[in-house]
Amino acid sequence: MTPLSRLHWHVLLILLAALRGHCRYIQMRDATEDALVLLNTDIKRELAQEQMYRRSLRCIDMLSIDGQFTFVAEQPQLHCALFLIGDPEEYITIEYNLVNIDCLGGDILKVFDGWIIKGEKFPSSLDHPLSTSERYTDICEDGNAQSITRSSQNVAMIFFRVHKPGHGFTLTVRKTPNLFPCNVISQSPSGKFTMIIPHQHRNCSFSIIYPVVIRISDLTLGHFNELQLKKPPPKGCGGAGDFVELLGGAGLDPSNMFPLADLCHSFHGSAQMKIGCDNSVLRMVSSGKFINRVTFEYSQLDRQLERQQGNSVEEVCSPLN
């Protein structure tokens, strides 16, 4: 199975595991086929050159392309979720074209700024400027079905519940450029990315839902007015206001992950780490005083091959030598 195919299956397993036992009407075959289509970059390019893409939504669904999407309940759908993901350098905007739900009767339509699975959030509460409650947009409470919601990163999520057959909603999803992407969930198990935090007091996490090999080729911390500050690194990075850390875990929230390594001084060269976790994260902490920058590549780690070569890949996500 190719890495891309494995990613498709892995994402589907995460979505289904997150809502296992809560949604009674999952259409497995259609959901699988559609996810494979939506994550195909060739089809995405073809659709971008044509008219707006339209299709119906299922109770458990995922979208990675622009278009207009409609959900109409054929029977009561009580625990539904729509996962939205874009490229790293994109925001997601959601426009509500038509909302026909019974809020007083218990229907819901809520947008979450990020992803949340089994109580674990991305971005974590430490990496997002808003509190958890402020990250929800509730159409029933706001009473403004014609508004537009924009995510703070390349992922967002919609929770909905519709009791009456024939009721539902229509929304339009578009992507807009993000010049300085901060928190990112990668659509691919391999790639290259440069994260820049320009004089901002914030934390940024790049999440890869896969065990990976991460190779950092350039790290600049404390860069100000073209002068590189020369200070001895502190013992560990706990006392440094600007640093990069590598994390691993089985869940979604970086704040709940196992710390594997940290870097708090600049270098130009190559640093590599193998992370044998289901989810791997590179996280940059910035004091806001400097322009911080890190460039890295990542590729999928073959845990079976690592074991054959004598490397230990533990479920506690210890780094591999």
Side-chain angles (χ1 to χ4, degrees):
M1 186 179 295
T2 66
L4 186 58
S5 298
R6 290 178 181 174
L7 175 64
H8 299 154
W9 285 111
H10 192 80
V11 171
L12 285 172
L13 289 174
I14 289 176
L15 304 190
L16 296 176
L19 295 141
R20 185 179 300 159
H22 298 288
C23 183
R24 297 170 55 193
Y25 307 109
I26 298 174
Q27 299 179 17
M28 282 293 297
R29 184 182 62 184
D30 292 343
T32 302
E33 293 172 351
D34 191 66
L36 295 176
V37 169
L38 291 178
L39 287 173
N40 187 295
T41 55
D42 292 334
I43 293 179
K44 289 168 68 174
R45 283 194 295 269
E46 292 174 6
L47 290 171
Q49 298 172 358
E50 299 177 359
Q51 296 181 350
M52 178 178 288
Y53 177 63
R54 290 178 172 85
R55 76 160 174 86
S56 59
L57 295 172
R58 288 173 290 273
C59 179
I60 306 297
D61 217 332
M62 182 172 65
L63 298 175
S64 64
I65 59 175
D66 293 0
Q68 189 174 81
F69 306 93
T70 300
F71 177 81
V72 178
E74 297 181 357
Q75 51 193 332
Q77 301 280 18
L78 306 183
H79 300 280
C80 300
L82 172 61
F83 293 80
L84 305 171
I85 186 168
D87 292 333
E89 299 86 1
E90 292 179 332
Y91 294 114
I92 297 172
T93 60
I94 304 165
E95 180 181 359
Y96 313 97
N97 307 116
L98 173 66
V99 177
N100 178 28
I101 61 175
D102 184 5
C103 294
L104 297 178
D107 289 356
I108 63 172
L109 180 58
K110 297 182 179 182
V111 180
F112 183 72
D113 189 8
W115 280 5
I116 182 167
I117 299 176
K118 292 184 177 180
E120 294 214 347
K121 302 179 289 292
F122 184 91
S124 74
S125 297
L126 299 177
D127 297 347
H128 200 284
L130 301 177
S131 66
T132 299
S133 60
E134 291 175 317
R135 292 167 67 175
Y136 283 98
T137 301
D138 191 328
I139 299 304
C140 286
E141 290 185 1
D142 295 347
N144 185 6
Q146 300 302 317
S147 63
I148 296 178
T149 301
R150 194 191 78 170
S151 68
S152 302
Q153 60 286 311
N154 77 320
V155 292
M157 190 173 179
I158 299 177
F159 297 94
F160 56 98
R161 176 191 303 151
V162 182
H163 287 83
K164 296 181 181 179
H167 284 203
F169 56 88
T170 297
L171 52 84
T172 299
V173 176
R174 293 186 176 90
K175 313 296 185 351
T176 56
N178 181 359
L179 296 181
F180 294 102
C182 179
N183 294 300
V184 173
I185 291 182
S186 176
Q187 294 190 51
S188 170
S190 61
K192 184 176 182 179
F193 189 74
T194 296
M195 181 184 293
I196 303 174
I197 306 182
H199 298 293
Q200 294 176 331
H201 180 45
R202 65 188 309 190
N203 307 324
C204 298
S205 293
F206 191 97
S207 177
I208 310 144
I209 309 177
Y210 251 93
V212 295
V213 180
I214 293 183
R215 300 175 181 86
I216 300 175
S217 58
D218 182 81
L219 175 61
T220 302
L221 297 170
H223 190 271
F224 183 70
N225 289 336
E226 301 300 323
L227 294 176
Q228 184 68 37
L229 300 183
K230 300 293 184 181
K231 292 184 178 180
K235 295 181 179 179
C237 292
D242 303 86
F243 63 93
V244 165
E245 59 182 347
L246 297 176
L247 308 168
L252 190 68
D253 194 326
S255 65
N256 295 332
M257 291 184 179
F258 186 75
L260 302 176
D262 52 11
L263 300 166
C264 44
H265 61 281
S266 303
F267 69 87
H268 302 279
S270 179
Q272 173 178 302
M273 173 165 283
K274 300 175 183 178
I275 304 177
C277 302
D278 291 335
N279 196 359
S280 308
V281 168
L282 183 146
R283 181 171 180 262
M284 176 179 282
V285 176
S286 178
S287 66
K289 299 178 181 179
F290 312 110
I291 299 175
N292 295 324
R293 173 190 179 106
V294 60
T295 299
F296 59 95
E297 296 182 57
Y298 55 99
S299 57
Q300 183 183 351
L301 176 68
D302 190 330
R303 288 192 283 195
Q304 183 176 359
L305 179 60
E306 293 294 328
R307 292 191 183 99
Q308 292 174 354
Q309 294 177 345
N311 293 320
S312 175
V313 186
E314 303 294 341
E315 292 304 319
V316 294
C317 302
S318 298
L320 301 176
N321 296 323

